[in-house]
């Protein structure tokens, strides 16, 4: 079965000041449990804020490191889910459900990509 990576994109400046609410974490926990029992969810996690990140670039000759935050980035990857689904339609449905648990106080998007297995 194909594997899919769902990259959670978020505008950190528009996120609720207190972060995820207890209610959101409860709903998220229920969905994660359901996905795990269904054998779909392989791994998932949230990421630290972009202010704590580093970007490593290669220009063809040398490597440079830039510490966050990155002023040119409005939307950043805030988390991910690695899923194994029977097809793209199933991966899209789980991703849709993940987005829906967030409620109206969050504006997020997921970029869903199938992993190229070779």
């Amino acid at each position: 079965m194909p594997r899919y990576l769902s990259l959670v994109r978020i505008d950190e400046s528009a996120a609720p000041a207190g972060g995820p609410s207890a209610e959101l974490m409860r709903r998220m926990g229920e969905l994660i449990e359901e996905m795990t029992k269904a054998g779909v969810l392989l791994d998932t996690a949230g990421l630290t804020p972009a202010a704590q990140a580093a970007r490593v670039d290669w220009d063809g000759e040398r490597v440079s490191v830039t510490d966050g935050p990155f002023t040119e980035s409005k939307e950043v990857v805030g988390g991910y889910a690695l899923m194994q689904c029977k097809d793209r339609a199933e991966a899209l449905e789980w991703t849709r459900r993940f987005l829906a648990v967030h409620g109206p106080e969050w504006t997020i998007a997921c970029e869903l990509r199938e992993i190229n297995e070779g």
Side-chain angles (χ1 to χ4, degrees):
M1 285 199 319
R3 294 184 303 157
Y4 296 86
L5 182 63
S6 179
L7 298 168
V8 182
R9 298 194 176 273
I10 183 170
D11 177 352
E12 290 178 324
S13 67
S21 67
E23 176 61 18
L24 171 56
M25 295 308 293
R26 183 192 64 74
R27 291 190 310 260
M28 186 68 63
E30 290 173 355
L31 180 62
I32 288 171
E33 182 178 346
E34 183 180 350
M35 292 174 75
T36 301
K37 286 180 178 177
V40 170
L41 188 63
L42 302 177
D43 191 24
T44 188
L47 302 175
T48 58
Q52 298 171 17
R55 182 173 43 236
V56 183
D57 293 300
W58 170 253
D59 69 4
E61 295 181 15
R62 64 185 159 276
V63 172
S64 63
V65 177
T66 306
D67 290 329
F70 313 111
T71 56
E72 68 278 5
S73 297
K74 179 181 176 189
E75 192 178 74
V76 299
V77 176
Y80 70 92
L82 179 61
M83 301 177 287
Q84 189 164 27
C85 301
K86 64 183 177 192
D87 55 26
R88 183 174 184 267
E90 182 183 22
L92 284 168
E93 177 59 20
W94 285 114
T95 301
R96 184 200 63 75
R97 291 185 59 198
F98 168 80
L99 290 171
V101 301
H102 283 79
E105 65 275 14
W106 289 87
T107 302
I108 62 172
C110 287
E111 179 181 333
L112 182 66
R113 300 181 68 178
E114 184 173 349
I115 294 175
N116 185 348
E117 302 287 356

